[in-house]
Amino acid sequence: MSLVSSSLNSPTLHGYAHDWALVDVETSGLVPRRDRVLSIAVITIGPDGEQTGEFSALCDPGCDPGPVAVHGLTAERLRGAPSFAQVAGRIGAMLQERVLVAHNAQFDYDFLAHEFARARMWLPVSQRLCTLALNRQVDPPTDDMKLGTLAAHYGIPQRRAHDALDDTRVLAGILRASLREAAQLDLPLPLVTCPPRAESQFTPKPPKTPCAYRNPGRPTAGGPLRQGMKIAITGETAHARAELVGRAVAAGLNMMSSVSRHTSVLVTNEQASDSAKARRALAEGVPVIDESTFLRLLAGVQPGTVHEATAVAVTPVTRRELEPVVKRPELAPTAAPAVPVVPTPTPVPAARQPAPSASTSDQPLAGRRVLVLGGTHADASAARTRVVELGGSAAVNLSASVTDVALLEGGDGDRRMRRITALGLPTHGLRWLAAPTAAAPTDKALRPQEPLVVPRGGVIAFLLDEDEQVTFDEDFVFYGAPESPAGTVRLLTGGPAEQTVALDLASLPPSTRKVVVAAAIDGAATFGTVGAIQIGAAPGSNGALLARATLDAATTERTLLLAEIYRRGPLWRLRAVGQGYDHGLDALARGYGVDVTD
């Protein structure tokens, strides 16, 4: 494939013209609040696609450079280089009034935000564009979305992988090619608004200590405390709250910031307290003791049962592949239990694997990706389910991987039909789904293997213990707190229509038995008005999808459980859910034990 042109002078690209600042950083690790930038490159590009500036520098981080085998930047090579603070001014000038562009842009953006904060400067970025998110919308026929893979697909030469300047030059070619593809498909750019980042937001916070013991329940009347019991404290105390918590944690107790039906004991010196914790304890029948009794019981805490560790098979983690990968997620579509009732464990079926012996007549849509347009909500959902039954993959958006379009009633009036006609995509009526013939050969480059498809009808995450409760409020990951204390679960934003939950399964504490991924809508809107939602699981941020689910049965729901990642024996398993509730996010969070202020 020939190298793409650098020019973007085309009438079809008029709406895609911006002043761009392309960035790549090499870092000492993966955690922005802890690790440092070792090298950075910035290339600026004008609305016409022509390069207007270039800058690169090594930065002495004043610490261990981390995985030298990945980036090749040894301490000796970095010694004598300027600190990031010394080059921040020039970098800021290049970013000013431009859209920041990077591959997995939140990674680069977060590192820049922390480095600028350390330098006592503001990061002058108001918008960013992730070429990874853009290409997930374009959906080119590649095995994955890594920078090198996309470079090969678009014909961009890559000479030195993990070299900041060379990676940024490659990124420039990928951006130009991706913008052309997006324009051809009439796709909106996944631009993300970046609010001002204040220094206080980047103060490192020490991770809280998870309890190593299972919750044994409540103590018997007059009986001892046992390791793993969940303890909450409310009201004024004679001893400093931090001292009481520290002594309890050292004794093996699980200190909670809220009260739920799983709380073992509430400690308070105010028996008539009207605090939210006290009211909840009364409603749930939680035993209440005073501070002196608690201190006496601390001296005789009984041994508890240690959480069982789960062996996790993962692939090696590289610079930006934040999510360790279970070798093959096992999918079992099921309806989630109503929160906050604890579900009874039930056997989970094994993954539905593609049948290699299936003939073309059994699966006439094998290898096809079908976009369904028109019809009622129920009709469109049924049509997508039918596509999967016939061996195909159901699309919810127009992308480069779509091979066919199924038109239900009113579908020919969809605004995307103009683009579909221009692309020459075949369109079919409802009868085609009832009895399709074997698909004719296509000139589209198909993927060697489609992900498993599970038809089921702001993103948040909850890290839950065996009681389906958070250990502490920080185990609730949402837009206001987009990272768990230890950085094991992170909420990443790739665009207005895409959010990612990155999981470091190998680093989750044994007390975390399940991660629930959900979504919530503010105001009067419901998921019935949102339409179909597509979720996918991939090995790392740049990996190809291993599994995909389309959730499109919502009506009046305001919160929606999307998926659960849970421990089952020696494995982590993935389950698509699709269970919705009419209540808001506050009720969902309280059901999982989060202390939500009224």
Side-chain angles (χ1 to χ4, degrees):
M1 186 180 293
S2 61
L3 182 65
V4 297
S5 167
S6 64
S7 175
L8 293 178
N9 282 323
S10 169
T12 61
L13 290 171
H14 177 71
Y16 299 82
H18 292 269
D19 282 304
W20 310 99
L22 285 66
V23 175
D24 186 77
V25 296
E26 299 298 323
T27 64
S28 63
L30 300 174
V31 183
R33 68 170 182 266
R34 179 195 66 202
D35 300 316
R36 303 300 301 270
V37 170
L38 307 179
S39 71
I40 182 170
V42 183
I43 290 178
T44 57
I45 293 178
D48 59 358
E50 298 296 333
Q51 181 172 322
T52 58
E54 179 177 291
F55 172 75
S56 65
L58 298 179
C59 299
D60 187 347
C63 64
D64 185 275
V68 174
V70 175
H71 50 61
L73 300 174
T74 62
E76 291 75 18
R77 185 178 174 190
L78 296 171
R79 190 173 294 118
S83 67
F84 187 93
Q86 291 174 305
V87 298
R90 181 167 181 182
I91 294 169
M94 298 183 75
L95 299 177
Q96 187 78 39
E97 298 182 355
R98 291 185 171 93
V99 177
L100 183 146
V101 180
H103 201 63
N104 192 5
Q106 183 149 4
F107 179 92
D108 300 79
Y109 174 74
D110 284 348
F111 265 95
L112 287 175
H114 280 80
E115 290 289 4
F116 270 77
R118 294 184 184 103
R120 306 289 195 222
M121 297 175 63
W122 290 88
L123 176 61
V125 173
S126 59
Q127 279 188 313
R128 69 175 186 261
L129 174 71
C130 178
T131 50
L132 178 61
L134 177 58
N135 276 276
R136 276 199 284 257
Q137 288 190 13
V138 171
D139 205 13
T142 56
D143 291 337
D144 54 54
M145 296 293 176
K146 296 178 180 179
L147 191 74
T149 304
L150 291 175
H153 171 71
Y154 290 125
I156 313 299
Q158 185 178 32
R159 296 180 175 83
R160 298 184 303 279
H162 294 295
D163 175 86
L165 183 56
D166 188 65
D167 282 353
T168 308
R169 289 169 175 165
V170 170
L171 181 65
I174 291 175
L175 173 65
R176 295 178 181 117
S178 303
L179 290 176
R180 289 192 181 88
E181 292 289 326
Q184 186 178 27
L185 295 166
D186 198 21
L187 296 175
L189 291 180
L191 295 170
V192 176
T193 300
C194 304
R197 306 298 292 263
E199 178 187 345
S200 59
Q201 293 178 298
F202 299 95
T203 302
K205 297 179 181 178
K208 296 191 177 182
T209 304
C211 185
Y213 304 93
R214 294 178 61 88
N215 181 14
R218 295 171 181 171
T220 58
L225 300 178
R226 189 174 298 276
Q227 288 177 326
M229 284 185 173
K230 295 187 173 183
I231 311 295
I233 302 175
T234 187
E236 297 294 329
T237 54
H239 294 74
R241 181 72 65 90
E243 178 186 349
L244 292 176
V245 170
R247 291 173 64 176
V249 169
L253 299 176
N254 191 354
M255 298 306 295
M256 308 296 293
S257 58
S258 60
V259 172
S260 74
R261 68 188 183 281
H262 301 292
T263 303
S264 305
V265 169
L266 174 66
V267 179
T268 180
N269 290 326
E270 305 168 13
Q271 295 299 318
S273 171
D274 192 42
S275 70
K277 292 179 185 177
R279 294 197 305 270
R280 183 69 185 270
L282 179 62
E284 300 289 352
V286 175
V288 178
I289 61 176
D290 60 23
E291 182 180 355
S292 60
T293 303
F294 180 57
L295 290 172
R296 176 175 56 81
L297 293 175
L298 275 181
V301 175
Q302 300 298 299
T305 303
V306 178
H307 285 291
E308 294 181 6
T310 301
V312 181
V314 299
T315 57
V317 179
T318 59
R319 178 170 71 103
R320 289 177 175 158
E321 295 180 351
L322 304 179
E323 307 93 330
V325 183
V326 180
K327 289 299 184 182
R328 171 65 72 176
E330 298 180 29
L331 302 178
T334 181
V339 176
V341 176
V342 180
T344 301
T346 55
V348 180
R352 177 172 61 81
Q353 300 289 344
S357 60
S359 65
T360 303
S361 60
D362 294 330
Q363 293 189 320
L365 297 185
R368 317 294 291 190
R369 187 150 170 75
V370 182
L371 175 63
V372 177
L373 297 181
T376 64
H377 195 139
D379 290 342
S381 176
R384 281 187 281 266
T385 300
R386 178 61 174 161
V387 168
V388 174
E389 291 172 349
L390 296 171
S393 175
V396 296
N397 292 304
L398 179 62
S399 69
S401 65
V402 171
T403 60
D404 299 85
V405 179
L407 296 178
L408 307 186
E409 184 177 357
D412 52 359
D414 191 284
R415 67 174 184 80
R416 288 168 288 187
M417 279 304 302
R418 179 179 60 83
R419 187 63 57 179
I420 290 169
T421 302
L423 293 172
L425 290 174
T427 59
H428 312 275
L430 187 59
R431 291 183 180 179
W432 181 70
L433 289 178
T437 57
T442 176
D443 58 358
K444 281 184 174 289
L446 300 179
R447 289 167 178 73
Q449 179 179 346
E450 281 289 327
L452 301 176
V453 177
V454 187
R456 291 303 302 263
V459 174
I460 52 181
F462 299 92
L463 284 70
L464 306 179
D465 60 15
E466 69 274 4
D467 295 323
E468 298 273 314
Q469 298 285 289
V470 297
T471 300
F472 30 69
D473 289 347
E474 288 77 8
D475 280 345
F476 172 33
V477 178
F478 66 110
Y479 56 87
E483 185 174 333
S484 62
T488 52
V489 178
R490 300 181 65 211
L491 177 61
L492 311 175
T493 302
E498 174 184 313
Q499 288 187 309
T500 300
V501 176
L503 304 176
D504 185 349
L505 297 178
S507 299
L508 287 173
S511 59
T512 300
R513 311 305 295 177
K514 179 188 291 185
V515 178
V516 173
V517 180
I521 295 180
D522 292 330
T526 69
F527 279 101
T529 59
V530 170
I533 296 174
Q534 185 169 283
I535 62 174
S541 57
N542 299 327
L545 287 179
L546 296 178
R548 178 189 287 124
T550 300
L551 311 177
D552 57 0
T555 53
T556 61
E557 296 85 352
R558 295 173 56 213
T559 57
L560 186 65
L561 303 186
L562 303 177
E564 296 175 345
I565 301 93
Y566 62 99
R567 299 182 196 256
R568 176 60 62 87
L571 298 174
W572 283 95
R573 305 183 77 183
L574 169 68
R575 172 166 52 209
V577 180
Q579 176 68 49
Y581 304 95
D582 291 345
H583 56 58
L585 175 58
D586 54 347
L588 183 67
R590 285 192 184 97
Y592 287 128
V594 179
D595 187 11
V596 179
T597 303
D598 292 326

